[in-house]
Amino acid sequence: MPRRTAATLATSGEVLRLIRSGEAVTRADLGRVTGLSRPAVQLRVGELIERGLVVERADAPSTGGRPPVRLEFNAEGGVVLVAALGASRTRVAVCDLAGRELAGRDFAIDVEQGPDVVLPLLLDTWEEQLGDRPREDVKGVGMGVPATVEFARGRTESVRVMASWTGVLIPPIVRERFPVPVLVDNDVNALAIGEHRGVYPDLDDLMFVKVSTRIGAGVIAGGGILRGALGAAGEIGHIPVRDGGGVLCRCGNVDCVDSVASGTALLRELRAAGKDVKTIADVTALVRAGDAETMATVREAGRRIGEVLAGAVNILNPSVVVLGGDVAEAFGPLVSSIREVVYRRSTALATRRLRIEPSRLGAGAGISGCAVMVLDSVLSPEAVDESLAHDAS
């Protein structure tokens, strides 16, 4: 990262970054850190106060005389709209500028119904959640969808997975109702961002693996999300496994780990074995009852996932692998099998300090990650400066 100088710290956007991070909480702090003159600091702080991004608090500790006025980022100065879409469950929320959820709602909806059904539902729900709040308060929109996403354009690239979404440019559709920046990413990337920022902010390298209806991963590398050249990084669900039995995957290939070890695969295999299972909850009941055949099927799924993750651990060398999704959260035997295979098949150095942990935030990591994603964008120094310049013109 290039070293910041007084010149690069001179904008209002950079001043907001310093206040938001807590690096500077008074005007004197800002002058000392940035090298700006007192009138220049006053000008930039005044712009931020006028925009509602900063508030003044007269409760800073005094070293003698009048106590200095403390500057504080105003999390109530606007909202962002967020949605974490899953294959069968979706959560829609409004968050403040600190990422705290102000209103949220869950839906049981099959995302395969397509954008013509799902996107209007999101837009109408956001309108309802905003209530009487001025629409000018909306600063951005962040979404996670269970598909490969060309991040720069917000374009879903699903092929046979979520076929009705293939090639859909989501941002222009959302901006027709809410004309603000719209960021769209893969759902597991959003989970990884949320878990990293909320639970492991001091770790630079993390892998979040979602085992649910489908299997995918989000990778934090060097402190930031790793999307790859176009947004396809983390698609571990479509890495093939050995002795998969020739199962055709939704992507068109054979024996992808998604097709032989996901929640959908578990249900298919157990039904084929004569088990009366309709949902993952039914499988959980059989596991808790000690059904030997079900336990063996779950452990085999864990072994196959572990083989794929062992390769990923060797390549990425994360500090922690976080396991999330309803399947991972429900089955201890599956997680145990994953751990066993990863520690056995990965290199000694890659696993020396590796932790394999359950998600602490659960499904909430998706909403949190979507909020962080859009807030880091719309509150970046460049975005704030551009917005201020636009308002002044």
Side-chain angles (χ1 to χ4, degrees), residues 149 151-152 183-197 203-209 216-235 316 365 369-370 372-374 376:
V149 176
F151 179 75
L183 280 74
V184 183
D185 206 345
N186 173 272
D187 62 332
V188 194
N189 281 352
L191 289 165
I193 293 170
E195 194 85 20
H196 176 247
R197 190 67 64 88
L203 297 182
D204 286 340
D205 299 281
L206 170 151
M207 180 163 59
F208 188 104
V209 180
V219 178
I220 301 292
I225 192 72
L226 177 66
R227 295 190 175 94
L230 291 176
E235 289 288 346
L316 298 167
C370 289
V372 168
M373 174 177 67
V374 67
D376 280 356

Coordinates of all heavy atoms in Angstrom, one line a residue, residues 149 151-152 183-197 203-209 216-235 316 365 369-370 372-374 376:
V149 N -20.8 -14.3 -10.1 CA -21.1 -12.9 -10.5 C -19.9 -12.2 -11.0 O -18.8 -12.2 -10.5 CB -21.6 -12.1 -9.2 CG1 -21.9 -10.6 -9.6 CG2 -22.9 -12.7 -8.6
F151 N -18.3 -9.2 -10.9 CA -18.6 -8.2 -9.9 C -18.6 -6.8 -10.4 O -19.4 -6.0 -10.0 CB -17.5 -8.3 -8.8 CG -17.6 -7.3 -7.7 CD1 -18.6 -7.4 -6.7 CD2 -16.7 -6.2 -7.7 CE1 -18.7 -6.5 -5.7 CE2 -16.8 -5.3 -6.7 CZ -17.8 -5.4 -5.7
A152 N -17.7 -6.5 -11.3 CA -17.5 -5.1 -11.8 C -18.8 -4.6 -12.5 O -19.2 -3.4 -12.4 CB -16.4 -5.0 -12.8
L183 N -24.1 -2.8 -5.6 CA -23.0 -3.7 -5.7 C -23.6 -5.1 -5.5 O -24.4 -5.4 -4.6 CB -22.0 -3.5 -4.6 CG -20.9 -2.4 -4.9 CD1 -21.6 -1.0 -4.8 CD2 -19.7 -2.5 -3.9
V184 N -23.2 -6.0 -6.4 CA -23.7 -7.4 -6.4 C -22.6 -8.4 -6.3 O -21.6 -8.2 -7.1 CB -24.6 -7.7 -7.6 CG1 -25.2 -9.1 -7.5 CG2 -25.8 -6.7 -7.7
D185 N -22.6 -9.4 -5.4 CA -21.5 -10.3 -5.3 C -22.1 -11.7 -5.1 O -23.3 -11.9 -4.8 CB -20.5 -9.9 -4.2 CG -19.1 -10.5 -4.4 OD1 -19.0 -11.4 -5.3 OD2 -18.2 -10.0 -3.7
N186 N -21.2 -12.7 -5.2 CA -21.6 -14.1 -4.9 C -22.0 -14.2 -3.4 O -21.4 -13.5 -2.6 CB -20.4 -15.0 -5.2 CG -20.6 -16.4 -4.7 OD1 -20.3 -16.7 -3.6 ND2 -21.1 -17.2 -5.6
D187 N -23.0 -15.0 -3.1 CA -23.5 -15.0 -1.7 C -22.4 -15.5 -0.7 O -22.4 -15.0 0.4 CB -24.7 -15.9 -1.6 CG -24.4 -17.4 -1.9 OD1 -23.5 -17.7 -2.8 OD2 -25.1 -18.3 -1.4
V188 N -21.5 -16.4 -1.1 CA -20.5 -16.8 -0.1 C -19.4 -15.8 0.1 O -18.8 -15.7 1.1 CB -19.9 -18.2 -0.5 CG1 -19.2 -18.8 0.6 CG2 -21.0 -19.1 -1.0
N189 N -19.2 -15.0 -0.9 CA -18.2 -13.8 -0.7 C -18.8 -12.9 0.3 O -18.1 -12.4 1.2 CB -18.0 -13.1 -2.0 CG -17.0 -13.7 -3.0 OD1 -16.4 -14.7 -2.6 ND2 -16.9 -13.2 -4.2
A190 N -20.1 -12.7 0.3 CA -20.7 -11.8 1.3 C -20.6 -12.4 2.7 O -20.3 -11.7 3.6 CB -22.2 -11.6 0.9
L191 N -20.8 -13.7 2.8 CA -20.7 -14.4 4.0 C -19.2 -14.3 4.6 O -19.0 -14.0 5.8 CB -21.0 -15.9 3.9 CG -22.5 -16.2 3.7 CD1 -22.7 -17.6 3.2 CD2 -23.3 -16.0 5.0
A192 N -18.3 -14.4 3.7 CA -16.8 -14.4 4.0 C -16.5 -13.0 4.5 O -15.8 -12.8 5.6 CB -16.0 -14.7 2.9
I193 N -17.0 -11.9 3.8 CA -16.8 -10.5 4.3 C -17.4 -10.3 5.6 O -16.7 -9.7 6.5 CB -17.3 -9.6 3.2 CG1 -16.5 -9.7 1.9 CG2 -17.3 -8.1 3.7 CD1 -17.2 -8.9 0.7
G194 N -18.6 -10.7 5.8 CA -19.3 -10.5 7.1 C -18.6 -11.2 8.3 O -18.4 -10.6 9.3
E195 N -18.2 -12.5 8.1 CA -17.6 -13.2 9.1 C -16.2 -12.6 9.4 O -15.8 -12.5 10.6 CB -17.4 -14.7 8.7 CG -17.1 -15.6 9.9 CD -18.3 -16.1 10.7 OE1 -19.4 -16.0 10.1 OE2 -18.1 -16.6 11.8
H196 N -15.5 -12.2 8.4 CA -14.1 -11.6 8.6 C -14.2 -10.3 9.4 O -13.5 -10.2 10.4 CB -13.5 -11.4 7.2 CG -12.1 -10.7 7.3 ND1 -11.9 -9.4 6.8 CD2 -11.0 -11.1 7.8 CE1 -10.7 -9.1 7.0 NE2 -10.1 -10.1 7.6
R197 N -15.1 -9.4 8.9 CA -15.1 -8.1 9.6 C -15.7 -8.2 11.0 O -15.3 -7.5 11.9 CB -16.0 -7.2 8.7 CG -15.9 -5.7 9.2 CD -14.6 -5.1 9.0 NE -14.2 -5.0 7.6 CZ -14.5 -4.0 6.8 NH1 -15.2 -3.0 7.2 NH2 -14.1 -4.0 5.5
L203 N -7.3 -11.1 11.3 CA -6.7 -12.1 10.4 C -6.8 -11.6 9.0 O -7.8 -11.1 8.6 CB -7.4 -13.4 10.6 CG -7.3 -14.1 12.0 CD1 -8.1 -15.4 11.9 CD2 -5.9 -14.3 12.4
D204 N -5.7 -11.8 8.3 CA -5.7 -11.4 6.9 C -6.1 -12.4 5.9 O -6.4 -12.1 4.7 CB -4.2 -10.9 6.5 CG -3.9 -9.5 7.1 OD1 -4.8 -8.8 7.5 OD2 -2.7 -9.2 7.2
D205 N -6.1 -13.7 6.3 CA -6.4 -14.8 5.4 C -7.4 -15.8 6.0 O -7.1 -16.4 7.0 CB -5.1 -15.5 5.1 CG -4.1 -14.6 4.4 OD1 -4.2 -14.4 3.2 OD2 -3.2 -14.1 5.1
L206 N -8.5 -15.9 5.3 CA -9.6 -16.7 5.8 C -10.4 -17.3 4.7 O -10.5 -16.7 3.6 CB -10.6 -15.7 6.6 CG -11.9 -16.2 7.1 CD1 -12.3 -15.5 8.4 CD2 -13.1 -16.0 6.1
M207 N -10.9 -18.5 4.9 CA -11.8 -19.1 3.8 C -13.1 -19.5 4.5 O -13.1 -20.2 5.5 CB -11.1 -20.3 3.2 CG -11.9 -21.0 2.1 SD -11.0 -22.1 1.1 CE -10.3 -23.2 2.3
F208 N -14.2 -19.0 3.9 CA -15.5 -19.3 4.4 C -16.1 -20.4 3.4 O -16.1 -20.1 2.2 CB -16.4 -18.1 4.4 CG -17.7 -18.3 5.1 CD1 -18.0 -17.9 6.4 CD2 -18.8 -19.0 4.5 CE1 -19.2 -18.1 7.0 CE2 -20.0 -19.3 5.1 CZ -20.2 -18.8 6.4
V209 N -16.5 -21.5 4.0 CA -17.1 -22.6 3.1 C -18.5 -22.8 3.5 O -18.8 -23.0 4.7 CB -16.3 -23.9 3.3 CG1 -16.9 -25.0 2.4 CG2 -14.8 -23.7 3.0
G216 N -20.0 -23.8 -1.7 CA -19.2 -22.7 -2.3 C -18.3 -22.2 -1.3 O -18.4 -22.5 -0.1
A217 N -17.4 -21.3 -1.7 CA -16.4 -20.7 -0.8 C -16.2 -19.2 -1.1 O -16.3 -18.8 -2.3 CB -15.1 -21.5 -0.8
G218 N -15.9 -18.5 -0.1 CA -15.4 -17.1 -0.2 C -14.0 -17.0 0.4 O -13.8 -17.5 1.5
V219 N -13.1 -16.3 -0.2 CA -11.7 -16.2 0.2 C -11.3 -14.8 0.6 O -11.5 -13.9 -0.2 CB -10.8 -16.8 -0.8 CG1 -9.3 -16.7 -0.4 CG2 -11.2 -18.2 -1.2
I220 N -10.9 -14.6 1.8 CA -10.2 -13.4 2.2 C -8.7 -13.6 2.1 O -8.2 -14.5 2.8 CB -10.6 -13.0 3.7 CG1 -12.1 -12.8 3.8 CG2 -9.9 -11.7 4.1 CD1 -12.7 -11.7 3.1
A221 N -8.0 -12.8 1.3 CA -6.6 -12.9 1.1 C -6.0 -11.6 1.3 O -6.4 -10.6 0.6 CB -6.3 -13.5 -0.3
G222 N -5.0 -11.5 2.2 CA -4.3 -10.2 2.4 C -5.3 -9.1 3.0 O -5.1 -7.9 2.8
G223 N -6.3 -9.6 3.7 CA -7.2 -8.6 4.3 C -8.4 -8.2 3.5 O -9.3 -7.6 4.0
G224 N -8.5 -8.7 2.2 CA -9.6 -8.3 1.4 C -10.2 -9.5 0.6 O -9.5 -10.5 0.5
I225 N -11.4 -9.4 0.1 CA -12.0 -10.5 -0.6 C -11.3 -10.7 -1.9 O -10.9 -9.8 -2.6 CB -13.5 -10.2 -0.9 CG1 -14.3 -11.4 -1.3 CG2 -13.7 -9.0 -1.8 CD1 -14.5 -12.4 -0.3
L226 N -11.1 -12.0 -2.2 CA -10.4 -12.4 -3.4 C -11.5 -12.8 -4.4 O -12.1 -13.9 -4.3 CB -9.4 -13.6 -3.1 CG -8.7 -14.2 -4.3 CD1 -7.7 -13.2 -4.9 CD2 -8.0 -15.4 -3.9
R227 N -11.7 -12.0 -5.5 CA -12.7 -12.3 -6.5 C -12.1 -12.9 -7.7 O -12.8 -13.5 -8.5 CB -13.5 -11.1 -6.8 CG -14.3 -10.5 -5.6 CD -15.2 -9.4 -6.1 NE -16.0 -8.9 -5.0 CZ -15.8 -7.9 -4.2 NH1 -14.6 -7.2 -4.4 NH2 -16.6 -7.6 -3.2
G228 N -10.8 -12.8 -8.0 CA -10.2 -13.2 -9.2 C -10.4 -12.2 -10.3 O -10.9 -11.1 -10.1
A229 N -10.1 -12.6 -11.5 CA -10.1 -11.7 -12.7 C -11.5 -11.1 -13.0 O -11.7 -10.0 -13.3 CB -9.5 -12.3 -13.9
L230 N -12.5 -12.0 -12.9 CA -13.9 -11.6 -13.2 C -14.9 -11.9 -12.2 O -16.0 -11.5 -12.3 CB -14.3 -12.3 -14.5 CG -13.6 -11.9 -15.8 CD1 -14.0 -12.8 -17.0 CD2 -13.8 -10.5 -16.1
G231 N -14.5 -12.5 -11.1 CA -15.4 -12.8 -10.0 C -15.7 -14.3 -9.8 O -16.6 -14.6 -9.0
A232 N -14.9 -15.2 -10.4 CA -15.2 -16.6 -10.3 C -14.4 -17.3 -9.2 O -14.5 -18.5 -9.0 CB -14.9 -17.3 -11.7
A233 N -13.6 -16.6 -8.4 CA -12.8 -17.2 -7.4 C -13.7 -17.8 -6.3 O -14.8 -17.2 -6.0 CB -11.8 -16.2 -6.8
G234 N -13.3 -18.9 -5.8 CA -14.0 -19.5 -4.7 C -15.1 -20.6 -5.1 O -15.8 -21.1 -4.3
E235 N -15.1 -20.9 -6.4 CA -16.1 -21.9 -6.9 C -15.7 -23.3 -6.6 O -15.6 -24.1 -7.6 CB -16.4 -21.6 -8.4 CG -17.2 -20.4 -8.7 CD -18.7 -20.5 -8.3 OE1 -19.1 -21.6 -8.0 OE2 -19.4 -19.4 -8.2
L316 N -4.0 -21.7 -0.7 CA -4.2 -20.4 -0.1 C -3.6 -20.2 1.3 O -3.4 -19.1 1.7 CB -5.8 -20.2 0.0 CG -6.5 -20.2 -1.3 CD1 -8.0 -20.4 -1.1 CD2 -6.2 -19.0 -2.1
A365 N -24.2 -13.4 8.8 CA -23.0 -13.0 8.1 C -23.3 -12.5 6.7 O -22.5 -11.6 6.2 CB -21.9 -14.1 8.1
G369 N -22.1 -8.9 5.7 CA -21.2 -8.8 4.6 C -21.7 -7.9 3.4 O -20.9 -7.1 2.9
C370 N -22.9 -8.0 3.1 CA -23.5 -7.1 2.1 C -23.4 -5.6 2.5 O -23.1 -4.7 1.7 CB -24.9 -7.5 1.8 SG -25.2 -9.0 0.9
V372 N -21.2 -4.3 4.7 CA -19.8 -3.9 4.7 C -19.4 -3.6 3.3 O -18.7 -2.6 3.0 CB -18.9 -5.0 5.3 CG1 -17.5 -4.7 5.0 CG2 -19.2 -5.1 6.8
M373 N -19.8 -4.5 2.3 CA -19.4 -4.3 0.9 C -19.8 -3.0 0.4 O -19.0 -2.3 -0.2 CB -20.0 -5.5 0.1 CG -19.7 -5.4 -1.4 SD -20.4 -6.8 -2.3 CE -22.2 -6.6 -2.0
V374 N -21.0 -2.6 0.6 CA -21.5 -1.4 0.0 C -21.1 -0.2 0.8 O -20.7 0.9 0.2 CB -23.1 -1.4 -0.2 CG1 -23.8 -1.4 1.2 CG2 -23.6 -0.3 -1.0
D376 N -18.2 0.1 2.5 CA -16.8 0.4 2.1 C -16.6 1.1 0.8 O -15.7 1.8 0.5 CB -16.0 -0.9 2.1 CG -15.6 -1.4 3.5 OD1 -15.9 -0.7 4.5 OD2 -15.0 -2.5 3.6

